[in-house]
Coordinates of all heavy atoms in Angstrom, one line a residue:
V487 N -5.9 -3.4 -18.9 CA -5.8 -2.7 -20.2 C -4.4 -2.7 -20.7 O -4.2 -3.0 -21.9 CB -6.2 -1.1 -19.9 CG1 -6.0 -0.4 -21.3 CG2 -7.7 -1.1 -19.6
N488 N -3.5 -2.4 -19.8 CA -2.1 -2.4 -20.3 C -1.6 -3.8 -20.7 O -0.8 -3.8 -21.8 CB -1.1 -1.7 -19.3 CG -1.4 -0.2 -18.9 OD1 -1.9 0.3 -19.8 ND2 -0.8 0.2 -17.8
L489 N -1.9 -4.8 -20.0 CA -1.3 -6.1 -20.2 C -1.9 -6.6 -21.5 O -1.2 -7.2 -22.4 CB -1.5 -7.0 -19.2 CG -0.8 -6.7 -17.9 CD1 -1.2 -7.7 -16.8 CD2 0.8 -6.9 -18.1
A490 N -3.2 -6.5 -21.8 CA -3.9 -6.9 -23.0 C -3.2 -6.2 -24.2 O -3.0 -6.7 -25.2 CB -5.4 -6.6 -22.9
S491 N -3.1 -4.8 -24.0 CA -2.5 -4.0 -25.1 C -1.0 -4.5 -25.4 O -0.8 -4.6 -26.7 CB -2.6 -2.5 -24.7 OG -1.9 -1.7 -25.6
V492 N -0.2 -4.6 -24.5 CA 1.2 -4.9 -24.8 C 1.3 -6.3 -25.3 O 2.2 -6.6 -26.2 CB 2.1 -4.7 -23.6 CG1 1.9 -5.8 -22.5 CG2 3.6 -4.5 -23.9
M493 N 0.5 -7.3 -24.9 CA 0.6 -8.5 -25.5 C 0.2 -8.6 -27.0 O 0.9 -9.1 -27.7 CB -0.3 -9.6 -24.7 CG 0.3 -10.0 -23.4 SD -1.0 -10.8 -22.3 CE -1.1 -12.3 -23.2
T494 N -0.9 -7.9 -27.4 CA -1.2 -7.7 -28.8 C -0.2 -7.0 -29.6 O 0.2 -7.5 -30.7 CB -2.5 -6.9 -28.9 OG1 -3.6 -7.5 -28.1 CG2 -2.9 -6.7 -30.3
E495 N 0.4 -6.0 -29.0 CA 1.5 -5.2 -29.6 C 2.7 -6.1 -30.0 O 3.4 -6.1 -31.0 CB 1.8 -4.0 -28.7 CG 3.0 -3.3 -29.3 CD 3.4 -2.1 -28.2 OE1 3.0 -2.2 -27.1 OE2 4.3 -1.3 -28.6
T496 N 3.2 -6.9 -28.9 CA 4.3 -7.8 -29.1 C 4.1 -9.0 -30.0 O 4.9 -9.2 -30.8 CB 4.7 -8.2 -27.7 OG1 4.7 -7.2 -26.7 CG2 6.1 -8.9 -27.7
L497 N 2.8 -9.6 -30.0 CA 2.6 -10.6 -31.0 C 2.6 -10.0 -32.4 O 3.1 -10.6 -33.4 CB 1.2 -11.2 -30.7 CG 1.1 -12.0 -29.5 CD1 -0.3 -12.4 -29.1 CD2 1.9 -13.4 -29.9
E498 N 2.1 -8.7 -32.6 CA 2.2 -8.2 -33.9 C 3.6 -7.9 -34.3 O 3.9 -8.1 -35.5 CB 1.4 -6.8 -34.0 CG -0.2 -7.0 -33.8 CD -0.9 -5.7 -33.8 OE1 -0.1 -4.6 -33.6 OE2 -2.0 -5.8 -33.8
R499 N 4.5 -7.5 -33.5 CA 5.9 -7.3 -33.7 C 6.5 -8.7 -34.2 O 7.4 -8.7 -35.1 CB 6.6 -6.7 -32.6 CG 8.1 -6.6 -32.8 CD 8.8 -5.8 -31.8 NE 8.5 -4.3 -32.0 CZ 9.3 -3.4 -31.5 NH1 10.3 -3.6 -30.7 NH2 9.0 -2.1 -31.8
A500 N 6.1 -9.7 -33.6 CA 6.6 -11.1 -33.9 C 6.0 -11.7 -35.1 O 6.4 -12.8 -35.6 CB 6.4 -12.1 -32.7
G501 N 4.9 -10.9 -35.6 CA 4.2 -11.5 -36.8 C 3.3 -12.7 -36.5 O 3.0 -13.5 -37.3
L502 N 2.8 -12.7 -35.3 CA 1.9 -13.8 -34.8 C 0.6 -13.1 -34.3 O 0.4 -12.0 -34.1 CB 2.6 -14.6 -33.7 CG 3.9 -15.1 -33.9 CD1 4.6 -15.7 -32.7 CD2 3.8 -16.2 -35.1
T503 N -0.4 -14.1 -34.0 CA -1.6 -13.8 -33.3 C -1.9 -14.6 -32.1 O -1.0 -15.5 -31.8 CB -2.8 -13.9 -34.3 OG1 -3.0 -15.3 -34.6 CG2 -2.6 -13.3 -35.6

Side-chain angles (χ1 to χ4, degrees):
V487 172
N488 289 345
L489 291 175
S491 174
V492 77
M493 287 172 66
T494 299
E495 177 187 10
T496 311
L497 282 166
E498 289 176 353
R499 175 170 282 201
L502 302 173
T503 68

